[in-house]
Amino acid sequence: MACVSPSRIAGSFSSRRRAPPPTVAVGPPPPSHWPSYLLRVPAMRPSLSVRTRRCKGPRSRTPIIVSSKLFSKASDAEGFVSPENPGGNEEYGLPLGPEPCRGVPVFVTLPVDAVDAEGRMTRPKAMAVSFLALKAGGVEGVVMEVWWGIVEREGPGIYDWKGYRDVVAGAAKCGLKVRAIMSFHQSGRGFRVPLPRWVLQEMDKEPNLSYTDKAGRRNRECLSLGCDMLPVLNGRSPMQAYSDFMRNFRDTFKEYLGPVVTGIQIGMGPGGELRYPYFPSEPLRMSSEDFGKFQCFDKFMLASLRACARAIGKDDWGNGVPFDVMDIEENGPHQTSFFRNEAYCDSPQERFFLSWYSGMLLLHGERLCMAAETIFHGTGVRLYGKIAGIHWHYTTASHPLELTAGYYNTSTRDGYLPIARMFGRHGVTLCCTCFDLRDAEEKKTNTNSSPEGLLKQLMFAAFSANIPVSGENSLPYLDDASCRQILKTSKMYPDGYHESPSSFNFVRMDKNMFGGKSWSQFLRLVKELSHERNVKDHFNSRRTESHLSFKSSVERCGRALAYY
């Protein structure tokens, strides 16, 4: 098997990559005219700097204030912090930009069972009324999960899009946009959607198509990325199967692409996220004390590891995970030298392993992004890729759960910047969750958790790579505190730096969403996010209640009939 050199993954596609189309600057000056400290990831001067940019609309100049507390350590192109410039805990800062010239469009994710196991649209009348209610409430569009296990269930290359065409047609009739998620994984929550039956049969014949941990336990949520390019699916490779699926989607929905279907989110792993599985079988709700397992013990992943070790003359490094890494399962991360705060990832072998492990994930994401960019080129849709919001051990030095998920992110290395840059090379918008989570609440159950710190790092990586961000909520309900947090987080990344503003995706639509208080809370959030004026906190003001009443019979019907 060919060796995948972690240090050269980012450049492995450069010779074949098509030059991106020229873009028109909307607000700020082009990057070539930006100050150097806005373009570099290394340490920034502690002095407070002020720059201005023009907003689309009325003439005005609003300062962009760059935080005086940014990176305390310089990092190289691969995200490593320079040992010559040691410092304390790093602070991720973002330019506090001017108020956006336009609001943030809101999307709503449809139920998992919007299309049933037989490929039929479920509850069409209730769905139509719900679409009308969403449109009347100011929602921009809906997010539709397109399940591989439903569309291609009958056999390789046999696609059934009928149910999804009905959903798209219904949304278009009501004036809603659609973002489609190419879901190449299984869903295990509530309505279970497995992988296609013929894929599961191949996994039964060859168990190494599944992710495998040290103990030999398998995860069948999706195919192992170790076999991406191997003809293991009836003569096709998984990457060919994913590409054929997306190509057939493009051809089937060509009349909707652009005007109605405005976005394609590329499924890149478990939960549709670019990551490894956390565990042999994904739990419904992960404990804050869990550290995850390295999923690299199928024969394909081990063959790649051995090839990479052999290429650098270290054959013994290709025998598996370093011993201390394996000891995490028995003793926990901070009881092993690998994850101890004072000596984690210290040996060359440990750094080699983590670079290879995260590099394989980055290569998998690049392959999918290249395929999607080629397939959907010229259709007018925007591409999206999602990164997991793993915040439970974010304030520790070793970030153990992020490492086992494939993000080589520690207190001395930025593991998200290479991913953001890879997305940027292919015009992919970064999707991230946790927009509704607050450190103060999360630390009550886990003192090492910091969703706000993680989001700042992701936002800074996206800003450095010059790509937009699309946000999501983590919890399925809204209250005053979570709405305020979403509004606060939505201002982290000014819209004016890109052709189109960032978006927010509410996960997800169900019958509880249309209840009296929940629906009123949701309408308030949509109004504040999509408003063109300054985002203000009106949640404690009685005067806004008159603006939140149901102004049309459509909204009343949505509350009464949706999902009943």
Side-chain angles (χ1 to χ4, degrees), residues 131-312:
F131 286 164
L132 290 172
L134 293 176
K135 182 62 178 178
V139 171
E140 178 80 5
V142 295
V143 177
M144 174 182 70
E145 292 161 314
V146 182
W147 295 101
W148 188 23
I150 292 178
V151 174
E152 205 173 349
R153 65 186 181 279
E154 297 297 336
I158 303 175
Y159 305 97
D160 178 11
W161 302 101
K162 184 180 184 308
Y164 293 106
R165 282 188 62 90
D166 292 341
V167 173
V168 173
K173 187 177 180 180
C174 297
L176 293 172
K177 307 297 185 183
V178 176
R179 182 186 304 167
I181 302 177
M182 304 289 103
S183 300
F184 301 118
H185 60 284
Q186 75 173 19
S187 170
R189 299 186 180 187
F191 177 72
R192 187 174 183 273
V193 182
L195 295 176
R197 184 167 48 250
W198 56 274
V199 174
L200 294 176
Q201 291 172 353
E202 295 297 329
M203 297 173 78
D204 291 335
K205 296 176 187 177
E206 177 51 88
N208 285 285
L209 297 180
S210 306
Y211 284 109
T212 309
D213 70 356
K214 171 201 165 191
R217 294 168 294 196
R218 311 286 186 181
N219 184 299
R220 292 162 64 93
E221 186 177 2
C222 59
L223 291 166
S224 169
L225 60 82
C227 61
D228 269 354
M229 307 302 290
L230 302 178
V232 295
L233 299 178
N234 295 328
R236 290 189 302 170
S237 69
M239 203 57 58
Q240 287 175 321
Y242 303 149
S243 299
D244 291 344
F245 185 91
M246 291 189 288
R247 189 176 296 108
N248 198 270
F249 177 90
R250 178 202 64 191
D251 296 340
T252 303
F253 291 86
K254 58 184 177 181
E255 70 270 26
Y256 292 108
L257 295 182
V260 179
V261 180
T262 58
I264 300 293
Q265 183 172 320
I266 313 162
M268 298 183 177
E273 300 166 335
L274 181 60
R275 63 173 174 87
Y276 292 96
Y278 298 126
F279 296 99
S281 57
E282 295 282 346
L284 291 181
R285 183 172 177 82
M286 198 179 63
S287 168
S288 61
E289 298 300 321
D290 292 328
F291 305 110
K293 306 290 189 294
F294 286 98
Q295 304 287 326
C296 58
F297 288 88
D298 62 79
K299 70 178 184 180
F300 304 112
M301 293 289 287
L302 289 177
S304 173
L305 179 61
R306 294 190 189 101
C308 286
R310 192 181 306 115
I312 62 173

Side-chain angles (χ1 to χ4, degrees), residues 50 107 139 187 189 208 287 324 344 349 369 434 450 485 498:
V50 178
F107 285 74
V139 171
S187 170
R189 299 186 180 187
N208 285 285
S287 168
D324 285 337
Y344 60 90
Q349 183 180 1
C369 288
C434 302
S450 179
Q485 185 64 23
H498 298 281

Side-chain angles (χ1 to χ4, degrees), residues 521-533:
Q521 195 78 266
F522 176 74
L523 289 180
R524 282 201 291 269
L525 177 64
V526 172
K527 178 182 177 181
E528 295 294 339
L529 282 173
S530 59
H531 211 288
E532 296 184 1
R533 296 183 297 106

Side-chain angles (χ1 to χ4, degrees), residues 4-17 77-79 355 358-364 366-367 370 413 417-423 425-426:
V4 179
S5 176
S7 62
R8 301 182 63 185
I9 284 175
S12 61
F13 296 96
S14 59
S15 61
R16 294 177 291 170
R17 193 182 317 120
E78 295 184 353
S355 296
S358 60
M360 287 290 286
L361 183 68
L362 190 65
L363 178 60
H364 173 71
E366 181 121 37
R367 286 168 174 161
M370 286 182 63
R413 189 184 191 280
L417 183 58
I419 298 176
R421 286 173 172 167
M422 182 268 289
F423 282 176
R425 288 195 294 272
H426 303 286

